[in-house]
């Protein structure tokens, strides 16, 4: 909806709204994008990010250490938009979408956290956590994606790894969602964790 609204706004009006923050060239839709699938869009974004297309740094001092460059804001906006589309694509248990589409944003997020600091610039406390992913929405969609291709043992291993990396405090809820997503393929292969009285695992 936001993408469509941007296309309807005159350039002068759009300039007044976003010109202080990002370049209009960063928010105008790519004419070829409408001919691409979601998977192609996600992989094009992944390739551009890993190539450093969003990397824009500045000299950091005590006054601007909380600022974000235009490149960083553009990266965060594009990442969030594509992840939302991936989550929507796998919103239904029996989605016919290609199974890899939701995995690519997760892989890119992990790539940033592996100290690959040439993707996006953070002035202070660098880390992919600054992107602000809602993992309680994103991970269940990723589980449904992963369950379509991974063998049972591998599925359980990757699920537990992702939960530990991205949202360990909601482990109980995520394991329940993962069991449901892979119910027909991974019965009996999950760690038998016992929740604490508060519903969390130690």
């Amino acid at each position: 909806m936001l993408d469509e609204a941007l296309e309807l706004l005159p350039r002068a009006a759009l300039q007044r709204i976003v010109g202080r923050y990002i370049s209009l060239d960063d928010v105008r839709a790519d004419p070829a994008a409408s001919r691409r699938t979601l998977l192609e869009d996600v992989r094009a974004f992944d390739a551009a990010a890993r190539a450093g297309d969003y990397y824009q740094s500045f000299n950091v001092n005590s006054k601007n250490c909380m600022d974000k460059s235009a490149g960083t804001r553009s990266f965060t906006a594009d990442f969030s938009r594509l992840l939302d589309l991936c989550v929507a694509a796998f919103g239904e248990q029996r989605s016919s979408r290609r199974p890899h589409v939701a995995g690519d944003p997760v892989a890119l997020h992990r790539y940033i956290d592996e100290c690959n600091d040439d993707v996006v610039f953070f002035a202070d406390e660098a880390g992919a956590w600054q992107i602000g992913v809602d993992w309680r929405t994103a991970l269940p969609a990723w589980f449904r994606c992963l369950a379509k291709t991974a063998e049972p043992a591998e599925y359980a291993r990757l699920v537990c790894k992702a939960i530990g990396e991205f949202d360990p405090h909601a482990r109980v809820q995520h394991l329940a969602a993962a069991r449901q997503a892979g119910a027909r393929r991974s019965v009996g292969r999950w760690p038998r964790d016992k929740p604490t009285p508060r519903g969390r695992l130690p």
Side-chain angles (χ1 to χ4, degrees):
M1 182 181 297
L2 179 58
D3 291 338
E4 293 175 357
L6 289 174
E7 288 306 303
L8 292 174
L9 281 173
R11 186 177 181 87
L14 190 57
Q15 176 67 40
R16 289 196 300 271
I17 295 172
V18 304
R20 292 175 53 195
Y21 307 102
I22 55 178
S23 167
L24 288 186
D25 292 335
D26 292 334
V27 298
R28 283 297 186 185
D30 180 352
S34 61
R35 299 191 295 271
R36 295 198 299 250
T37 65
L38 176 57
L39 179 61
E40 289 170 337
D41 281 343
V42 168
R43 291 191 168 170
F45 169 72
D46 182 279
R50 292 177 191 247
D53 289 2
Y54 289 89
Y55 191 88
Q56 183 179 4
S57 63
F58 54 84
N59 293 325
V60 181
N61 55 49
S62 60
K63 294 182 179 180
N64 66 9
C65 62
M66 300 301 292
D67 292 347
K68 293 182 179 179
S69 68
T72 299
R73 289 193 295 267
S74 294
F75 173 88
T76 302
D78 287 348
F79 185 98
S80 299
R81 177 178 60 83
L82 288 170
L83 184 60
D84 286 346
L85 290 173
C86 291
V87 169
F90 278 85
E92 298 296 332
Q93 185 72 22
R94 296 184 179 181
S95 170
S96 60
R97 293 278 186 170
R98 292 188 64 178
H100 298 292
V101 68
D104 285 16
V106 172
L108 181 57
H109 194 284
R110 180 178 283 128
Y111 180 79
I112 295 170
D113 266 346
E114 290 172 347
C115 297
N116 293 290
D117 57 2
D118 55 349
V119 175
V120 61
F121 176 76
F122 296 112
D124 188 33
E125 297 185 13
W129 64 271
Q130 291 207 40
I131 300 171
V133 174
D134 179 4
W135 291 112
R136 300 193 186 195
T137 299
L139 279 182
W142 183 69
F143 298 155
R144 290 190 289 272
C145 169
L146 185 65
K148 291 178 177 290
T149 57
E151 292 300 319
E154 181 70 357
Y155 174 71
R157 185 187 71 80
L158 291 174
V159 162
C160 292
K161 178 182 178 182
I163 294 171
E165 285 180 316
F166 301 129
D167 198 17
H169 295 299
R171 181 178 173 87
V172 171
Q173 296 94 319
H174 286 313
L175 284 177
R179 288 188 182 98
Q180 182 178 3
R184 296 183 179 181
R185 306 189 66 192
S186 55
V187 174
R189 296 181 180 271
W190 295 97
R192 298 187 177 184
D193 295 317
K194 295 182 180 180
T196 64
R198 292 186 178 182
R200 293 183 178 179
L201 298 173

